[in-house]
Amino acid sequence: MYTFFTDTDCDITPAIASEYGIKIISMPYTIDDKDTYPYVDFETFEPEPFYELLRKGALPKTSALSPETYIKYFEPEFAAGRDILYVHFSEAMSGTYNSMYLAIEELKAKYPDRKFYHFDTKGITILSMQLVLDAAQWYKDGMEAEDILKKLEENVYNYSVYFYADNLKFFGRSGRVSGITAAMGGLLGIKPIIYMSKEGKMESIDKAIGKKKAIAKLLDHMEQVGDDIANNRILVASTGCTPLANELVAEIKKKYGENIDIRIIDINPTIGSHCGPDCTGVAFHSKTR
């Protein structure tokens, strides 16, 4: 008997969690010295007001969870005799996992018979979401934790994500993307194309001038590495720019068919704090990353 956890940085909402019977760890962001925990401090994320704040100059910060916070999430499960499977965003993207390991070390001393399984999706936002949705369905179907881990290991590199950055001051400030600087864009309108590497890091792989050409570049990369795209779930995400996401969806449907399984996702505010507004991307089934 075990409980499935994921986190808000994988873009899993309470509605999705309820559908699969899983639990969410909230990853916070800070604006004007006020910490906000998604789906703890609010029930529904409203992307437009949040990203409009960023357009007007707000520069959110994010921070790692404390070991005590992880204990608050995990100890009730161990105390009830349940093991834990946690499928999470990339360890290479955050220092929060240092706290998680400290928490688990403390809990294992107290509950030595309990097992803690975790899986690094080596992704973030919709790339992680692809893997979490697969694993959550296997969990709902009654699959054992060890078997889910095995299937995730087999499939972790068979999803890819590509997106473009609009305002590079957010990426430049966070320092979480290699290969770009905040000075790269500006008046030239250069949009770096970013992907998640096998190491679970965001890296700049291409660039385009203007949003139309950036969308065309996303489609080019889909075609280059995609595998049976039309018969697998496609996730399109945006940071407060649904019209651009709709435009990308329309272009994908032109290429892969009107009846494909394609969904538009609002990128969670914690990751949106690093991306900034008006970014758009796509996660899809691929031969490799």
Side-chain angles (χ1 to χ4, degrees):
M1 190 174 181
Y2 69 99
T3 300
F4 187 122
F5 278 89
T6 187
D7 53 66
T8 54
D9 281 359
C10 297
D11 282 324
I12 299 300
T13 64
I16 296 172
S18 177
E19 178 183 352
Y20 292 101
I22 65 180
K23 295 189 176 184
I24 313 173
I25 295 173
S26 181
M27 296 294 174
Y29 61 93
T30 304
I31 298 179
D32 295 332
D33 295 323
K34 179 185 177 182
D35 296 336
T36 300
Y37 287 79
Y39 309 120
V40 175
D41 295 324
F42 56 77
E43 293 183 4
T44 303
F45 174 48
E46 300 292 343
E48 287 301 333
F50 174 78
Y51 288 113
E52 188 59 28
L53 275 178
L54 273 56
R55 291 186 187 100
K56 291 178 178 178
L59 288 172
K61 297 183 292 184
T62 62
S63 56
L65 297 182
S66 67
E68 292 75 21
T69 300
Y70 280 107
I71 287 171
K72 287 179 182 178
Y73 279 109
F74 295 148
E75 185 164 19
E77 307 305 321
F78 282 178
R82 291 185 289 267
D83 297 332
I84 290 171
L85 169 64
Y86 177 24
V87 183
H88 55 75
F89 77 97
S90 174
E91 291 193 35
M93 297 294 292
S94 176
T96 196
Y97 296 105
N98 295 328
S99 295
M100 182 189 78
Y101 289 124
L102 289 172
I104 292 303
E105 183 178 354
E106 181 175 333
L107 288 172
K108 289 289 287 181
K110 190 174 181 180
Y111 304 94
D113 294 333
R114 298 276 56 81
K115 295 179 180 178
F116 178 76
Y117 307 94
H118 71 104
F119 185 81
D120 182 353
T121 61
K122 300 188 185 300
I124 209 158
T125 182
I126 52 172
L127 177 56
S128 294
M129 188 181 189
Q130 289 278 27
L131 290 156
V132 171
L133 289 175
D134 285 348
Q137 184 60 57
W138 300 328
Y139 173 73
K140 189 175 181 180
D141 291 343
M143 188 178 292
E144 295 296 330
E146 293 93 338
D147 294 327
I148 290 178
L149 288 175
K150 183 178 179 181
K151 287 179 71 69
L152 286 170
E153 288 284 359
E154 293 169 351
N155 292 284
V156 65
Y157 298 130
N158 291 128
Y159 285 112
S160 292
V161 66
Y162 291 83
F163 63 97
Y164 72 80
D166 188 71
N167 189 330
L168 294 182
K169 72 178 181 181
F170 294 93
F171 282 104
R173 186 168 172 268
S174 73
R176 280 176 166 80
V177 182
S178 63
I180 69 170
T181 67
M184 187 174 175
L187 295 177
L188 295 177
I190 293 174
K191 312 298 181 189
I193 308 300
I194 297 166
Y195 85 115
M196 292 295 301
S197 70
K198 287 184 176 181
E199 291 73 36
K201 298 179 180 180
M202 290 193 291
E203 297 184 6
S204 177
I205 194 172
D206 205 344
K207 59 182 180 293
I209 298 177
K211 295 177 181 178
K212 295 283 188 182
K213 290 184 178 179
I215 286 177
K217 287 281 189 180
L218 297 182
L219 293 168
D220 287 345
H221 285 287
M222 283 185 74
E223 187 170 3
Q224 289 172 26
V225 304
D227 177 51
D228 198 20
I229 290 174
N231 293 312
N232 286 278
R233 180 180 55 239
I234 303 168
L235 301 178
V236 168
S238 75
T239 55
C241 53
T242 301
L244 283 172
N246 287 332
E247 185 176 336
L248 178 55
V249 167
E251 293 300 319
I252 292 171
K253 285 186 174 182
K254 281 182 188 178
K255 181 167 285 193
Y256 297 104
E258 288 292 325
N259 297 320
I260 55 176
D261 177 6
I262 189 165
R263 312 172 194 182
I264 295 179
I265 306 299
D266 293 313
I267 292 179
N268 68 85
T270 309
I271 299 305
S273 297
H274 297 291
C275 298
D278 304 316
C279 294
T280 304
V282 58
F284 54 91
H285 197 261
S286 60
K287 295 184 284 288
T288 187
R289 290 196 194 177

